[in-house]
Amino acid sequence: MPCVADWLNSPLSIVQGIFAQNGPSPDWEKKVSEYFTEKLKENNATNWVPSLNDVPLHYLKPNSLVKFRCMVQDMFDPEFYMGVYETIDPNTKTRVLHFGKYRDVAECGPQQEIDLNSSQMVTLERQTFYCVPVPGESAWVKEAYISASQARVSPSTSYTPSRHKRSYEEDEDMELHPSKQKEQHMGNIGDIHGCGEPKRLETEASAGHQLISPNCSPPLDLNFPLPGEKGPACLVKVYERWDSFKVNDTLEVYGILSVDPVLSIVNNEERENSSSPLDPVQCMDTVEEQRVHSPPASLVPRIHVILAQKLQHINPLLPAFLNEEESKSFVSSFMMELSPLRAELLGFLTHALLGDSLAAEYLILHLISTVYARRDVLPLGKFTVNLSGCPKNGIFTEHIYRIIQQLVPASYRLQMTIENMNHSRFIPHKDYTANRLVSGVLQLASNTSLVIDETLLEQGQLDTTGVHNVTALGNLITWQKVDYDFSYHQMEFQCNINVLITSEGRSLLPSDCQVHLQPQIIPPNMEEYMNSLLTAVLPSMLNKFRIYLSLLRLLDYSISDEVTKAVEEDFVEMRKNDPESITADDLHKTLLVARFLSLSAGQTTLSRERWLRAKQLEALRKARLQHQKCVNGNEL
């Protein structure tokens, strides 16, 4: 029976064994999937598999089993490959059958030739996804995944062409292998690679997401949605059920790492010969398309997928799938301590919001909100909060964002300045020359927290791009969709993004709920005050907050017929008493508040008590807005 080292370090030898036993029959592929699926279920075996998110590429052995936590940024056209092929030795006429699955380059010995006319040859199809790390993934998420990993890796000696490369953030690399990394830097300082400049030591993306490729062609754009993102991008080759995945899905893939230097050589030759009239097949792709679809493997590695699964969430403190039996005990035991935990979180957020407990209540409801269904075009469950009354200058919002970053798995702070509105790329668009989807800031994974800082907005003129960007933000908030630009038409991509808007007055953008901040304390030094908040909370309590917010948005919720009838009667009574100010929209909003209020207390059905509490919160919120309106005239 193969040992752990075999299926982790040499998965292709396992595949070869299964292929040899079952021949070219279709069963062999199914048996490969079953073998690795069973292996990964044993004794937390998933923690033994090295992750491209954590480990630099030069520490990973080529053709070993790896995993990658990622978002599908783009889908390329399907490609054909030799699923089964036959080689022949010209001297001895010996024929050998090979599999082409999980490989980029056909295996062929020095004395062998591929028989392209063999009756045994089978041509198959696979799909290629361009995948990037989850945009805006929090540092605590990365650290938790790293600490849970039991993978044993060391610098690869068989992969010298990219030993000077790096695939993720320098600080993480230094933490994992400080002495080895120091040696690595020392050993490469003097490397010169034919372009007259020292070779880049790193493959991490700068704010422009660009890398220098080995042949000194123009910089390679890794196409990350958010500026300043770091980490590897991968070409993920999917062999089955690829139609069950879509752009922006969050996946965890397990597969065979391919970083064959031959790929770079072949691609460079193709680019050099692309203008040749002799080979019309090579001329079908533009140079730009070849660069994007076949980048150097040392910069954009390939993963040949054996197992891929959509992730319900990316919180490493929670079981990956809550519907499994072993996860149910975790959920039930956690729910037992929910009430005191909610009180702790409310206190923590009240301090963060300068003593405003009402704003803290609404922030909790916002953080556990999620789109749970769609009725026609209307997304149900979205709860965009506009926190108005924030100090103007962005410092307060920056600190609130830092606290949210510590609580949620993925987030991004969008600074709404005239400069950013007019010059940032919010909407992804199709580049037909390179045949790829060029990412934009609003290409985010589900359940990402987007904090829009409107306190930085100054007077100025929005140009055409700025107007389009503001419109895109409005559509995202109202309809939970982004219309990607395909030049000749727009394509709608649904999303599920939690949007929090901080503003001085009422936001220019739409929102589901405006809460006006009423600070009870004004700290003399905001930075010291916010830092002391984070240092005062115990790491164990912070982890409980993180579990709380992720878990509650995954729970089911329902309203019984009895409570529905009571709510309807209550609404009719409210309309009788005050027909002018109570609308159907108010009912919908109060029901939404009641939903998240119930879930925040661990209740999956609406009770009379929660309904009354929701009405009370809404009354307090409206009274505060009305008071502010009286103070400032008509301006909120």
Side-chain angles (χ1 to χ4, degrees), residues 223-234:
N223 210 15
F224 292 148
L226 299 180
E229 289 280 281
K230 298 175 182 178
C234 288

Side-chain angles (χ1 to χ4, degrees), residues 276-291:
S276 167
L278 300 177
D279 193 344
V281 175
Q282 289 182 351
C283 295
M284 287 172 68
D285 293 344
T286 63
V287 174
E288 290 87 349
E289 186 171 349
Q290 286 175 13
R291 289 189 74 239

Side-chain angles (χ1 to χ4, degrees), residues 397-574:
T397 302
E398 183 184 344
H399 289 296
I400 289 297
Y401 173 64
R402 277 178 54 204
I403 282 170
I404 289 174
Q405 249 187 330
Q406 289 294 325
L407 297 174
V408 300
S411 60
Y412 181 63
R413 178 188 173 213
L414 178 59
Q415 300 180 47
M416 198 172 172
T417 62
I418 295 292
E419 174 77 13
N420 280 345
M421 292 295 104
N422 287 341
H423 296 102
S424 296
R425 192 172 66 218
F426 281 20
I427 306 163
H429 71 271
K430 181 74 173 183
D431 178 350
Y432 286 96
T433 306
N435 191 20
R436 73 162 174 179
L437 182 67
V438 179
S439 64
V441 168
L442 297 184
Q443 187 174 12
L444 300 170
S446 273
N447 295 318
T448 300
S449 285
L450 178 63
V451 178
I452 300 176
D453 186 355
E454 211 177 282
T455 64
L456 298 169
L457 197 58
E458 300 284 352
Q459 285 189 341
Q461 186 72 37
L462 287 175
D463 60 18
T464 307
T465 303
V467 171
H468 285 162
N469 284 339
V470 171
T471 303
L473 285 174
N475 286 337
L476 167 68
I477 291 165
T478 306
W479 308 111
Q480 284 293 315
K481 65 164 190 169
V482 180
D483 294 322
Y484 290 15
D485 181 6
F486 280 72
S487 294
Y488 311 107
H489 67 284
Q490 290 187 327
M491 190 176 290
E492 180 182 300
F493 283 77
Q494 293 181 346
C495 54
N496 185 4
I497 309 297
N498 285 38
V499 183
L500 174 69
I501 309 163
T502 60
S503 58
E504 194 179 14
R506 182 172 186 162
S507 173
L508 302 172
L509 297 168
S511 66
D512 299 302
C513 177
Q514 182 189 355
V515 181
H516 195 83
L517 186 69
Q518 279 190 354
Q520 304 301 306
I521 46 174
I522 306 294
N525 187 318
M526 184 72 76
E527 185 150 358
E528 277 183 19
Y529 177 79
M530 291 294 186
N531 286 340
S532 65
L533 260 181
L534 283 171
T535 51
V537 65
L538 292 171
S540 58
M541 184 56 70
L542 203 52
N543 281 341
K544 286 180 180 178
F545 292 165
R546 292 160 176 166
I547 295 170
Y548 173 91
L549 295 174
S550 293
L551 177 61
L552 295 184
R553 65 170 39 161
L554 297 169
L555 296 180
D556 292 325
Y557 173 85
S558 61
I559 305 178
S560 67
D561 293 341
E562 185 185 345
V563 174
T564 302
K565 189 178 177 184
V567 166
E568 286 171 355
E569 289 171 355
D570 202 4
F571 177 64
V572 170
E573 199 62 36
M574 288 159 65

Side-chain angles (χ1 to χ4, degrees), residues 47-83:
N47 291 337
W48 290 94
V49 182
S51 171
L52 272 173
N53 301 89
D54 315 332
V55 184
L57 189 56
H58 58 265
Y59 278 82
L60 295 170
K61 182 184 173 188
N63 297 321
S64 62
L65 189 72
V66 296
K67 63 183 176 183
F68 187 39
R69 185 178 64 260
C70 57
M71 184 189 82
V72 180
Q73 189 276 321
D74 195 6
M75 291 180 166
F76 295 160
D77 296 330
E79 62 185 31
F80 294 103
Y81 71 99
M82 293 187 295

Side-chain angles (χ1 to χ4, degrees), residues 259-277:
V259 284
D260 200 319
V262 172
L263 290 171
S264 302
I265 296 166
V266 168
N267 295 329
N268 288 344
E269 288 176 351
E270 282 181 357
R271 281 195 281 274
E272 288 166 9
N273 298 332
S274 61
S275 59
S276 167

Side-chain angles (χ1 to χ4, degrees), residues 181-220:
Q181 192 60 33
K182 185 177 178 182
E183 293 166 9
Q184 182 104 8
H185 276 279
M186 294 300 289
N188 283 283
I189 286 171
D191 280 2
I192 304 294
H193 289 256
C195 300
E197 295 178 3
K199 183 61 188 166
R200 286 274 301 271
L201 295 177
E202 305 172 359
T203 66
E204 57 189 39
S206 65
H209 318 167
Q210 294 180 340
L211 299 177
I212 307 299
S213 59
N215 61 342
C216 298
S217 56
L220 182 68

Side-chain angles (χ1 to χ4, degrees), residues 202-350:
E202 305 172 359
T203 66
E204 57 189 39
S206 65
H209 318 167
Q210 294 180 340
L211 299 177
I212 307 299
S213 59
N215 61 342
C216 298
S217 56
L220 182 68
D221 182 359
L222 289 184
N223 210 15
F224 292 148
L226 299 180
E229 289 280 281
K230 298 175 182 178
C234 288
L235 290 178
V236 174
K237 312 266 184 174
V238 184
Y239 291 86
E240 54 195 31
R241 297 190 307 107
W242 58 71
D243 53 351
S244 63
F245 304 118
K246 59 185 186 296
V247 168
N248 302 335
D249 276 351
T250 306
L251 310 180
E252 184 165 56
V253 298
Y254 292 82
I256 296 169
L257 176 68
S258 174
V259 284
D260 200 319
V262 172
L263 290 171
S264 302
I265 296 166
V266 168
N267 295 329
N268 288 344
E269 288 176 351
E270 282 181 357
R271 281 195 281 274
E272 288 166 9
N273 298 332
S274 61
S275 59
S276 167
L278 300 177
D279 193 344
V281 175
Q282 289 182 351
C283 295
M284 287 172 68
D285 293 344
T286 63
V287 174
E288 290 87 349
E289 186 171 349
Q290 286 175 13
R291 289 189 74 239
V292 167
H293 289 244
S294 303
S298 56
L299 298 181
V300 182
R302 282 65 163 161
I303 298 178
H304 292 267
V305 175
I306 293 174
L307 177 67
Q309 50 195 7
K310 277 189 201 177
L311 294 177
Q312 281 186 307
H313 62 85
I314 57 164
N315 188 333
L317 306 173
L318 270 178
F321 298 97
L322 297 178
N323 50 0
E324 293 175 353
E325 263 326 298
E326 55 266 30
S327 304
K328 289 177 182 175
S329 59
F330 172 89
V331 173
S332 57
S333 64
F334 186 80
M335 299 295 270
M336 300 282 284
E337 53 178 313
L338 215 60
S339 184
L341 186 58
R342 187 193 193 281
E344 285 278 354
L345 179 59
L346 182 63
F348 175 69
L349 292 178
T350 299

